[in-house]
Amino acid sequence: MELCDQYIHENIAINPTLNDYFRFPQYYNLSHILPDYWSAEYDKLNYDLNKKYLKLLEKKKNKNLYDKILERDLIYWGKINKFMIYDFLILSSNNLFKIISNEIKGQHYFKFNTDKDIENYMKRLKNLTPITKSIIECFKDGIKNKVTIYFGIIDDIIESFQNILKNKSYEYNSNKKNIKLKKKFNECINEYYVKNLNKLLTFLINEYYSHTTKKLGLYQYKGGKDLYRLIVKDYLYDFATPENIHELGKSEVNRVFKNIQYLQKKYKKEFIDYEKNYKKYSEKESLDYLFKIRKELYKNNEKYFHNNLKPNELYEIKLLKEKDYSSAYYYPSDFNNKKKGEFYINTNNFNNDELLTLSLHEGIPGHHYQIKRNINNSKIPVYLKYYDSTAYIEGWGLYCENLYEYKNLFNYYEKLKYELLRSLRLVLDTGIHYYGWTKQDCFSYHKKYLPKSAPEYKRYIDSPGQALCYKFGEKTLTFLRDKYLEKDPNGIKDFHEIILDLGPIKLNFLLSEFKKKIFM
């Protein structure tokens, strides 16, 4: 067993909820445990585990690729965590209470297949009382140290909590034969989930909100700019800097914007007619169209890959009806392929011609195809099937938006707009976290290039550096593809197989391993 996989198994012992994804039978007896991620005890267990494996790696004389990947991850996690005064896990888009609500609805990896599963989950919910206490203490520590969250993010958290309570989206409504247990489960949800959610909501409104910051980025905190530099290196390359990324972003924005302007000028009449005659699809029409696109992309895949999916391995498409912070996203299958990959989308937030590009990115050959290949790849360790590289994953998604021969002008136009958005992210993310950009700075820059859409500045505040991964990953893949095709002009399928076989590794390892395979 690879050392990184040993690490995964010891990590599950600390955080058994990881096994919702893996479903290793030897850890089923821990399925009832929901750790207190915000407690000093949990931090100490993770610190000790990481320290243990760093020592093991130091002693190892001949490190293989996966040893080096684990070592780099542990080093960066250690450096980054030293900066954390309060925990960034409370996010408007992915907070614990929202995750639990979705799990109860069956939208995540935990599955309620048996009565025992329900009983285990009730035990998890009972730990929400000490967890909520720890969360509030973290927020209070932040107030004490003058490290608080941007008020707009707290607005979103409050709104999402209020919507959960108003819509009762936490209720368990699956058709189970055991009506008595179903009733008991919902009583448990009300006792531990609803009460603690109300407690946290009350604290945020009455005590925390008045202390929230009006500034956007990490730069405002002590050591914040140094922290951002580390995050950038961790996500991208050891040599990456906020300064270089900012300038690259400006260059990419100008390049893509010129292509958009060229289209608008060349097809001026077509664009005028399009705006005049445009009719938005209904939800049913959008869903039908998404299934039609899925069928077309499945066939299109054969042009670019040696190995296609089986028809029963296609992703599911599910409409989001509630207001959602992320209105289109992919949720992958689990480790054992017991759950299908799912493409969630709120079609009300997109026009008809965006759906093709979104499907390429989220579905085939983007996230669904890549992650399915990754899960089925027996050559790579379990570690990489969970702790993957965001720059590889999102870079691949953006790269795949080009693996299609666009014949419809407006489909292609929307594709270019998405590429422009990913380029804007390089400027905005670095602007917010390193250069101290204000909300108005973000709006002004974004509106200059994409005037009909609102900037995603809250997203960049929520997850510093994540938005950089799309464009950096895509440019890395494009660079490697071009180098490979210089050697073999007809080798696009072979190139893709090499990239997918290497798996979702950090970009610096992707460069070095690709070089070994091709040029040595």
Side-chain angles (χ1 to χ4, degrees):
M1 182 186 291
E2 293 284 354
L3 199 61
C4 60
D5 285 354
Q6 292 180 35
Y7 174 85
I8 280 283
H9 283 272
E10 289 200 46
N11 210 342
I12 291 172
I14 295 172
N15 180 12
T17 61
L18 293 178
N19 202 45
D20 293 351
Y21 171 75
F22 292 111
R23 298 197 66 80
F24 293 132
Q26 64 267 39
Y27 303 113
Y28 285 170
N29 64 315
L30 304 176
S31 297
H32 64 288
I33 298 173
L34 177 64
D36 184 351
Y37 306 110
W38 293 269
S39 67
E41 180 186 4
Y42 183 78
D43 285 344
K44 178 71 164 54
L45 289 171
N46 277 283
Y47 173 81
D48 290 344
L49 178 64
N50 291 356
K51 187 177 178 181
K52 171 185 173 180
Y53 274 84
L54 277 172
K55 284 185 176 179
L56 290 172
L57 287 161
E58 285 173 11
K59 293 177 181 177
K60 197 167 184 181
K61 292 181 179 179
N62 297 312
K63 297 185 184 74
N64 63 25
L65 169 64
Y66 306 119
D67 294 329
K68 293 174 183 176
I69 289 172
L70 176 62
E71 185 173 46
R72 186 184 188 277
D73 285 345
L74 294 178
I75 289 171
Y76 270 101
W77 287 341
K79 288 180 178 179
I80 288 171
N81 284 333
K82 286 180 181 178
F83 284 89
M84 297 300 184
I85 300 174
Y86 74 95
D87 205 312
F88 282 91
L89 289 174
I90 295 288
L91 306 177
S92 62
S93 60
N94 197 31
N95 61 72
L96 177 63
F97 283 91
K98 188 172 182 179
I99 289 171
I100 290 173
S101 173
N102 288 335
E103 282 180 336
I104 292 169
K105 289 185 285 187
Q107 292 180 0
H108 283 314
Y109 294 125
F110 190 96
K111 292 301 176 188
F112 300 98
N113 295 322
T114 66
D115 289 352
K116 181 67 175 176
D117 294 329
I118 295 176
E119 290 167 0
N120 282 332
Y121 206 82
M122 286 194 289
K123 290 177 182 177
R124 286 191 184 188
L125 292 179
K126 290 178 181 179
N127 203 36
L128 280 177
T129 300
I131 287 174
T132 304
K133 183 179 178 182
S134 294
I135 291 171
I136 290 173
E137 288 303 314
C138 279
F139 278 126
K140 286 182 176 179
D141 285 343
I143 294 171
K144 183 180 177 181
N145 291 288
K146 297 182 180 179
V147 180
T148 56
I149 300 174
Y150 176 64
F151 78 95
I153 300 295
I154 298 300
D155 282 337
D156 287 344
I157 295 173
I158 289 171
E159 184 182 6
S160 70
F161 285 176
Q162 289 173 333
N163 285 336
I164 288 171
L165 293 169
K166 179 183 177 181
N167 299 323
K168 295 186 177 182
S169 54
Y170 49 79
E171 289 185 342
Y172 181 70
N173 294 315
S174 294
N175 294 321
K176 285 281 182 180
K177 293 181 180 179
N178 194 335
I179 303 299
K180 186 176 180 180
L181 183 59
K182 177 182 173 182
K183 182 182 177 183
K184 187 178 177 182
F185 187 22
N186 278 313
E187 287 172 352
C188 181
I189 292 168
N190 278 293
E191 179 65 25
Y192 295 100
Y193 177 81
V194 175
K195 283 187 177 180
N196 281 297
L197 182 56
N198 270 308
K199 184 177 181 179
L200 182 54
L201 182 59
T202 301
F203 168 79
L204 291 174
I205 294 171
N206 295 337
E207 295 186 50
Y208 189 78
Y209 195 82
S210 61
H211 298 280
T212 55
T213 180
K214 301 299 186 292
K215 297 178 181 179
L216 307 187
L218 291 177
Y219 78 94
Q220 66 185 291
Y221 310 122
K222 184 179 179 181
K225 292 180 82 169
D226 291 332
L227 170 58
Y228 186 63
R229 280 187 176 276
L230 274 174
I231 290 172
V232 164
K233 291 177 185 294
D234 183 31
Y235 268 131
L236 307 177
Y237 291 100
D238 294 331
F239 57 80
T241 69
E243 295 92 341
N244 290 341
I245 293 167
H246 196 75
E247 293 307 312
L248 172 65
K250 289 180 180 179
S251 174
E252 283 293 290
V253 166
N254 290 331
R255 180 185 64 80
V256 181
F257 190 57
K258 284 179 181 177
N259 290 336
I260 289 174
Q261 288 179 311
Y262 171 78
L263 277 188
Q264 290 171 330
K265 185 177 180 180
K266 182 177 180 180
Y267 299 101
K268 184 177 180 179
K269 183 181 182 302
E270 285 85 349
F271 276 101
I272 292 171
D273 291 343
Y274 177 79
E275 292 286 342
K276 185 179 178 180
N277 300 315
Y278 177 79
K279 182 182 177 183
K280 181 79 175 72
Y281 286 163
S282 67
E283 279 193 347
K284 184 182 183 306
E285 288 171 330
S286 293
L287 189 60
D288 290 343
Y289 183 45
L290 284 165
F291 277 110
K292 181 181 177 182
I293 291 171
R294 188 185 73 173
K295 183 178 180 180
E296 182 183 353
L297 294 184
Y298 178 71
K299 186 176 181 181
N300 181 68
N301 232 31
E302 295 173 357
K303 298 178 184 177
Y304 300 101
F305 300 92
H306 289 303
N307 303 302
N308 208 349
L309 298 175
K310 297 175 183 176
N312 64 350
E313 292 180 316
L314 293 174
Y315 56 92
E316 294 183 352
I317 303 169
K318 297 191 175 182
L319 296 183
L320 292 166
K321 296 184 182 295
E322 301 173 12
K323 181 181 177 183
D324 198 271
Y325 185 70
S326 176
S327 49
Y329 61 90
Y330 175 72
Y331 203 85
S333 57
D334 56 20
F335 180 68
N336 295 309
N337 286 311
K338 298 293 185 184
K339 169 188 172 297
K340 280 197 170 185
E342 298 162 330
F343 174 22
Y344 287 90
I345 183 168
N346 187 337
T347 55
N348 295 319
N349 294 343
F350 302 99
N351 73 41
N352 309 337
D353 292 291
E354 292 177 84
L355 301 181
L356 173 58
T357 301
L358 286 168
S359 296
L360 283 159
H361 185 104
E362 306 292 351
I364 300 172
H367 292 331
H368 179 73
Y369 181 72
Q370 180 270 314
I371 292 172
K372 180 66 71 173
R373 287 284 302 269
N374 188 48
I375 289 172
N376 294 337
N377 188 347
S378 60
K379 297 176 183 177
I380 66 172
V382 169
Y383 181 86
L384 276 180
K385 299 181 181 185
Y386 192 84
Y387 290 111
D388 48 32
S389 162
T390 305
Y392 178 107
I393 296 290
E394 296 300 351
W396 176 263
L398 177 53
Y399 171 84
C400 287
E401 292 172 22
N402 293 291
L403 298 183
Y404 184 85
E405 295 176 10
Y406 289 87
K407 297 172 185 176
N408 180 291
L409 169 64
F410 304 106
N411 285 169
Y412 182 65
Y413 175 67
E414 294 298 337
K415 178 262 176 194
L416 285 179
K417 284 169 63 179
Y418 272 103
E419 185 179 0
L420 179 59
L421 173 63
R422 277 54 168 269
S423 302
L424 283 166
R425 287 174 177 172
L426 300 179
V427 182
L428 292 170
D429 198 273
T430 51
I432 286 170
H433 294 291
Y434 194 76
Y435 290 107
W437 279 25
T438 64
K439 178 181 175 181
Q440 187 55 51
D441 292 331
C442 296
F443 270 75
S444 297
Y445 191 79
H446 185 97
K447 288 291 183 182
K448 181 179 177 182
Y449 298 100
L450 288 173
K452 293 185 179 181
S453 65
E456 310 167 307
Y457 72 101
K458 289 182 184 178
R459 170 182 176 160
Y460 312 141
I461 301 168
D462 243 3
S463 186
Q466 190 272 348
L468 309 174
C469 294
Y470 296 74
K471 198 62 184 167
F472 249 81
E474 182 253 354
K475 287 193 76 66
T476 299
L477 291 169
T478 302
F479 169 77
L480 294 177
R481 179 203 63 197
D482 292 347
K483 287 292 182 185
Y484 189 87
L485 294 183
E486 285 177 8
K487 180 182 176 181
D488 181 3
N490 297 314
I492 190 66
K493 290 185 178 182
D494 293 334
F495 167 73
H496 290 150
E497 292 302 315
I498 291 167
I499 295 296
L500 291 169
D501 283 346
L502 283 171
I505 55 181
K506 292 287 176 75
L507 298 182
N508 53 319
F509 293 115
L510 186 64
L511 283 176
S512 59
E513 292 303 309
F514 187 86
K515 185 178 179 181
K516 286 178 187 177
K517 283 184 174 290
I518 305 307
F519 301 110
M520 289 187 178

